[in-house]
Amino acid sequence: MTPDAPAPFRVGLLGHGTVGSAVAELLPESADAIAHVTGLRPEISGVLTRSRGDFDEILAGSDLIVEVMGGTDDARTYVTRAIEAGKHVVTANKQLLAEHGEELWALAREHRVQLRFEAAVAGVVPVIRVLQESLTGHPVERLHGIVNGTTNFILTQMAATGASYEEALAEAQQLGYAEADPTDDVTGKDAAAKMAILARLAFDTPVHLSDVPYEGIAHLTTEDIEYARDLDLSLRLIGTAERIGDELAVRVHPAFLYKGHPLASVEGPFNAVTIESPAITEITLSGPGAGGPQTATAVIGDVISAMIPPAQTPPTRNTLGFVDDVASSFYLHVEVADKPGVLAQVAQVLGLQGVSVKSVVQKGTGTGARLVLVVHPVLESRFYGAVQLIAAKDFVTAPPRAIRVIDEEFAG
Amino acid sequence: MTPDAPAPFRVGLLGHGTVGSAVAELLPESADAIAHVTGLRPEISGVLTRSRGDFDEILAGSDLIVEVMGGTDDARTYVTRAIEAGKHVVTANKQLLAEHGEELWALAREHRVQLRFEAAVAGVVPVIRVLQESLTGHPVERLHGIVNGTTNFILTQMAATGASYEEALAEAQQLGYAEADPTDDVTGKDAAAKMAILARLAFDTPVHLSDVPYEGIAHLTTEDIEYARDLDLSLRLIGTAERIGDELAVRVHPAFLYKGHPLASVEGPFNAVTIESPAITEITLSGPGAGGPQTATAVIGDVISAMIPPAQTPPTRNTLGFVDDVASSFYLHVEVADKPGVLAQVAQVLGLQGVSVKSVVQKGTGTGARLVLVVHPVLESRFYGAVQLIAAKDFVTAPPRAIRVIDEEFAG
């Protein structure tokens, strides 16, 4: 926004595991975009790992400390010292906050620094931000969460393939969705820590990890999953936090969800949280719950928020043109006289226009016969050209109808 | 946080329709909670309607202006004047921003005030906050949205009941999900304005309403919806914004979604947005897209954000106890010897413990027979008591297995 080079904003990084190394890689890549928004250019001022780096030196040379080392001993000491030194802190450490959150949040208020922790719960799914900012002042009634991607992957695999718990766990480990020692995940302890943090924010009352009873998933059988499917139920490891009169119930346990529940369709290593409150009815947030780059994205979002408190809409940086012909997949409905060669002629027109058929259903007979096709993505001009040619055929008895189809081509 | 009474924060309200009156009602109710977080106590300093109130007087007596009057003429004048007077502005006016956003955002930057607009897109679903804050610095690849609740209600009704477009629209109007003049909704224009705003934020390039071609839903037939169901497709009015090379395609049109798509399960008057980006894979936000209290909640969230830029975690206000016996619905799996009276005995034990059966499936024969039951919510102590009694029966051949069931009891 100013013609001068933006001033640096020094970020000290504690931890260089999956998340730490992703932060170290992604932050410099985003530095220009962040400088555009904040007027400050973030840079990594130092990295502390088990074998290298000096905390005091990093602290002295940083405006903000990112703690992604995990554990509750050293992490607690370092976060405390950073806050006492007047530095903002961004952490992804759920155990630290579930055990020592009140103490650290109080310290941050006292020293007037920010202690942000979006990445501690549900990775890049912005549930902390929503609870702290969007819903301030609105009483939450209940919160359900799938907050552990490892167990969600295992349970959806068991349901999809009939694999046993042990087999699904082994697959999760192979794919990097479960750690070599999966105890914290499969016992529900990891989810319990996250639910303690969410309940604390949602109900504005202290919640410690020890207040959250939890059950794991190791005892679950494929048989139960299959029976339950007949009842339209799907199995998930669910964290629940709800107010019951003047008391709170916060728990983690396996639970069946009816098909209509917004969490029932959350598959694989994804996380999702549903927040119910009279004022908002219910909102659901879902997305990848873990992964280095995803969690790092949440960390960097927090860094940016700490850099520039008043959110403004900065001027645009791009001036992109607008595409006028895009590729789409289409559904096409054609009413035809049911005589030999009709499908072949339709297919030929489509083929000549470069339109490739994905599936076709033929229904009815006589003059009221119908062809219903879904075609693979193709430039819309080409597709509509083919439709015009088809419409002109003598066997077509009514104007064809075309509707776009959005493919399930993405990562979820 | 201080023992003194919090200073007032004066909110001037332009508009007193569905959203405006909900803001006027909800803001005072949340005032204590907001004062706790921000140190300032919000109060309505004046209300401008078509028939009463004086804008100049309200402006002079306010720290922040909430614009929920709609339209693009007076609204533009008032928002401009509020910003020029150095007041923060919160608006729910998508047409205003889709047509004059760049001018107003530039003015807000110039005068160093906040112009917030979470409520302009997808009601209380915090998609603006997520795009502006969580994802700053991360290139978005594509965004799909169901951003109009009226059309989503109509299309899901057509699919669920076989009603025609006209019938479903009439029902939407009866239920208050569609206005007497539904033109802006059913033509896609309302959704196009929202997509212009989302695309502007996601791709950091100016997007005007006129850059967004749109198609409506009035021509859609129940027949197409039914054929498509055979192909596992469900029909929605979808806004799409995607970068294709150095150009942008932003459009609104009806589209079929494959079952696995996160938006395919969004039913009724709900809104949802899926954001795809390499760093985050994909996140989905969903919730009620309209409604007075819901939209007002989004407005108030913006007011709070404008009041206290640096987000802190305030001390808790409650000290709730923890419930140790909660009511849950359960799935119960019992292996039994298949002889007469087994189901009756199980049902009797459950009945005596006050456990009410919702559904039951009996499978297999001989010693490997199984009873699979789902019971209505009951205190867990009672349920587990009943399970213990059942486990002790001589016809039970293996330890019963119980798993909680989460009911679809909420509003969605």
Side-chain angles (χ1 to χ4, degrees):
Chain A
M1 277 181 271
T2 73
D4 313 310
F9 184 85
R10 301 160 305 160
V11 175
L13 188 57
L14 311 184
H16 202 259
T18 315
V19 176
S21 53
V23 170
E25 192 187 323
L26 290 176
L27 191 63
E29 286 177 12
S30 313
D32 285 343
I34 296 171
H36 172 68
V37 176
T38 65
L40 300 171
R41 195 182 160 80
E43 58 181 43
I44 303 282
S45 49
V47 180
L48 183 72
T49 70
R50 251 170 262 171
S51 55
R52 71 187 163 87
D54 177 78
F55 176 72
D56 291 295
E57 212 173 277
I58 292 172
L59 184 63
S62 299
D63 302 302
L64 179 149
I65 294 293
V66 167
E67 186 276 300
V68 287
M69 57 195 292
T72 54
D73 293 337
D74 286 354
R76 182 183 181 190
T77 307
Y78 292 149
V79 168
T80 301
R81 289 199 46 213
I83 294 171
E84 286 172 347
K87 315 288 182 169
H88 300 303
V89 173
V90 172
T91 178
N93 192 328
K94 63 232 149 201
Q95 296 293 347
L96 178 66
L97 296 175
E99 293 183 33
H100 308 291
E102 290 310 324
E103 160 202 324
L104 296 172
W105 289 315
L107 199 64
R109 290 191 299 271
E110 186 191 320
H111 290 273
R112 298 178 180 280
V113 298
Q114 296 188 42
L115 169 57
R116 286 185 165 265
F117 48 97
E118 187 66 73
V121 182
V124 76
V125 182
V127 58
I128 301 295
R129 198 177 285 272
V130 168
L131 282 174
Q132 285 203 300
E133 299 175 21
S134 303
L135 296 179
T136 304
H138 300 283
V140 170
E141 210 160 66
R142 190 164 56 170
L143 197 150
H144 283 309
I146 293 174
V147 291
N148 182 276
T150 304
T151 48
N152 205 59
F153 175 82
I154 292 171
L155 293 176
T156 53
Q157 275 308 97
M158 288 172 69
T161 66
S164 69
Y165 165 73
E166 289 75 16
E167 289 163 349
L169 170 59
E171 192 184 349
Q173 286 171 322
Q174 251 176 356
L175 293 171
Y177 295 146
E179 302 190 37
D181 176 2
T183 313
D184 274 8
D185 291 319
V186 300
T187 57
K189 185 182 177 193
D190 172 89
K194 293 167 178 168
M195 290 307 298
I197 296 170
L198 293 181
R200 189 296 184 194
L201 297 178
F203 299 98
D204 206 358
T205 188
V207 182
H208 189 272
L209 177 58
S210 60
D211 298 318
V212 185
Y214 53 89
E215 271 178 48
I217 64 161
H219 63 291
L220 299 170
T221 71
T222 317
E223 196 190 6
D224 288 324
I225 294 177
E226 278 163 13
Y227 280 121
R229 195 183 293 150
D230 296 344
L231 302 164
D232 246 351
L233 297 171
S234 56
L235 190 58
R236 297 286 184 274
L237 183 66
I238 297 288
T240 299
E242 60 185 323
R243 191 169 177 144
I244 300 175
D246 276 340
E247 290 193 310
L248 203 62
V250 189
R251 301 168 320 148
V252 172
H253 47 59
F256 284 115
L257 297 169
Y258 278 98
K259 210 180 156 189
H261 195 288
L263 300 186
S265 53
V266 177
E267 306 263 331
F270 269 45
N271 279 196
V273 176
T274 294
I275 303 165
E276 295 168 60
S277 155
I280 59 164
T281 318
E282 152 230 321
I283 60 178
T284 303
L285 315 171
S286 68
Q294 289 85 356
T295 307
T297 299
V299 167
I300 292 171
D302 274 352
V303 170
I304 295 167
S305 295
M307 289 169 72
I308 180 166
Q312 287 201 323
T313 301
T316 55
R317 293 189 302 159
N318 304 318
T319 44
L320 303 178
F322 291 90
V323 183
D324 40 40
D325 196 10
V326 301
S328 293
S329 177
F330 278 93
Y331 157 104
L332 178 63
H333 176 282
V334 196
E335 285 187 39
V336 293
D338 181 25
K339 46 187 192 188
V342 162
L343 178 57
Q345 285 190 61
V346 169
Q348 192 191 20
V349 172
L350 292 172
L352 287 173
Q353 294 287 314
V355 181
S356 151
V357 176
K358 180 172 177 177
S359 59
V360 58
V361 179
Q362 203 161 358
K363 289 216 172 183
T365 53
T367 50
R370 280 151 172 80
L371 281 180
V372 178
L373 302 104
V374 174
V375 305
H376 286 291
V378 58
L379 278 183
E380 300 197 341
S381 58
R382 274 182 172 280
F383 175 78
Y384 283 120
V387 171
Q388 255 184 329
L389 293 176
I390 291 168
K393 295 283 181 190
D394 56 2
F395 57 77
V396 172
T397 57
R401 294 198 298 270
I403 301 175
R404 289 170 189 79
V405 172
I406 293 180
D407 241 308
E408 46 182 343
E409 78 237 55
F410 50 50
Chain B
M1 277 180 271
T2 74
D4 314 310
F9 184 85
R10 301 160 306 159
V11 175
L13 187 57
L14 312 184
H16 202 259
T18 315
V19 176
S21 54
V23 170
E25 193 188 322
L26 291 176
L27 191 64
E29 285 177 13
S30 313
D32 285 343
I34 296 171
H36 173 69
V37 176
T38 65
L40 300 170
R41 196 181 160 80
E43 57 181 44
I44 304 282
S45 50
V47 181
L48 183 73
T49 70
R50 250 169 263 171
S51 55
R52 71 186 163 85
D54 177 77
F55 176 71
D56 292 296
E57 212 172 276
I58 292 171
L59 184 63
S62 299
D63 301 303
L64 179 148
I65 295 292
V66 167
E67 185 275 301
V68 287
M69 57 196 293
T72 53
D73 293 337
D74 287 353
R76 181 183 181 190
T77 307
Y78 292 149
V79 168
T80 300
R81 290 199 44 214
I83 293 171
E84 285 172 348
K87 315 288 183 170
H88 300 302
V89 173
V90 172
T91 179
N93 193 328
K94 63 230 149 205
Q95 295 294 347
L96 179 66
L97 295 175
E99 293 183 34
H100 308 291
E102 291 311 324
E103 159 202 325
L104 297 172
W105 288 315
L107 200 64
R109 290 191 299 272
E110 186 190 321
H111 290 273
R112 298 178 179 279
V113 299
Q114 297 188 41
L115 169 57
R116 286 183 166 267
F117 48 97
E118 186 66 73
V121 182
V124 75
V125 182
V127 58
I128 301 295
R129 198 177 285 272
V130 168
L131 282 174
Q132 285 204 299
E133 299 175 21
S134 303
L135 295 180
T136 305
H138 301 283
V140 171
E141 208 159 67
R142 189 164 57 169
L143 196 149
H144 283 310
I146 293 173
V147 291
N148 181 276
T150 304
T151 48
N152 205 59
F153 174 83
I154 292 172
L155 294 176
T156 54
Q157 274 309 95
M158 288 172 69
T161 67
S164 69
Y165 165 73
E166 289 75 16
E167 289 163 349
L169 170 59
E171 191 184 348
Q173 285 171 322
Q174 252 176 355
L175 293 171
Y177 295 145
E179 303 191 38
D181 176 3
T183 313
D184 274 7
D185 291 319
V186 301
T187 58
K189 185 181 178 194
D190 172 89
K194 293 166 179 169
M195 290 307 299
I197 297 170
L198 293 182
R200 187 303 184 188
L201 297 178
F203 299 98
D204 205 0
T205 189
V207 182
H208 188 272
L209 177 58
S210 59
D211 298 317
V212 185
Y214 52 88
E215 270 178 50
I217 64 162
H219 63 290
L220 298 171
T221 71
T222 317
E223 195 190 7
D224 288 324
I225 293 177
E226 277 163 13
Y227 280 121
R229 195 182 292 150
D230 296 344
L231 302 164
D232 245 350
L233 297 171
S234 55
L235 190 58
R236 297 286 183 274
L237 183 67
I238 297 289
T240 299
E242 62 186 320
R243 191 170 178 143
I244 299 173
D246 275 340
E247 290 193 311
L248 203 61
V250 189
R251 301 169 319 148
V252 171
H253 48 58
F256 284 115
L257 298 169
Y258 278 98
K259 211 180 155 190
H261 195 288
L263 300 186
S265 54
V266 176
E267 306 263 330
F270 270 44
N271 279 196
V273 176
T274 294
I275 304 164
E276 295 167 61
S277 155
I280 59 164
T281 318
E282 150 231 320
I283 61 177
T284 303
L285 314 171
S286 68
Q294 289 83 355
T295 307
T297 299
V299 167
I300 293 171
D302 274 352
V303 170
I304 295 168
S305 295
M307 288 169 74
I308 181 169
Q312 286 201 322
T313 300
T316 55
R317 294 189 302 158
N318 304 318
T319 45
L320 303 178
F322 291 90
V323 183
D324 39 42
D325 195 10
V326 301
S328 292
S329 177
F330 278 93
Y331 157 103
L332 178 63
H333 176 282
V334 196
E335 285 186 39
V336 293
D338 180 25
K339 46 187 190 186
V342 161
L343 178 57
Q345 285 190 61
V346 168
Q348 192 190 20
V349 171
L350 292 172
L352 287 173
Q353 295 288 314
V355 181
S356 152
V357 175
K358 179 172 176 178
S359 60
V360 58
V361 179
Q362 205 162 355
K363 290 217 172 181
T365 53
T367 50
R370 280 151 171 80
L371 280 181
V372 177
L373 302 105
V374 175
V375 304
H376 286 292
V378 58
L379 278 184
E380 299 197 342
S381 58
R382 274 182 172 280
F383 175 77
Y384 283 119
V387 172
Q388 256 183 329
L389 293 175
I390 290 167
K393 295 283 182 192
D394 56 3
F395 57 77
V396 173
T397 57
R401 294 198 298 270
I403 301 175
R404 290 171 189 79
V405 172
I406 293 181
D407 241 308
E408 45 182 344
E409 79 234 55
F410 49 51

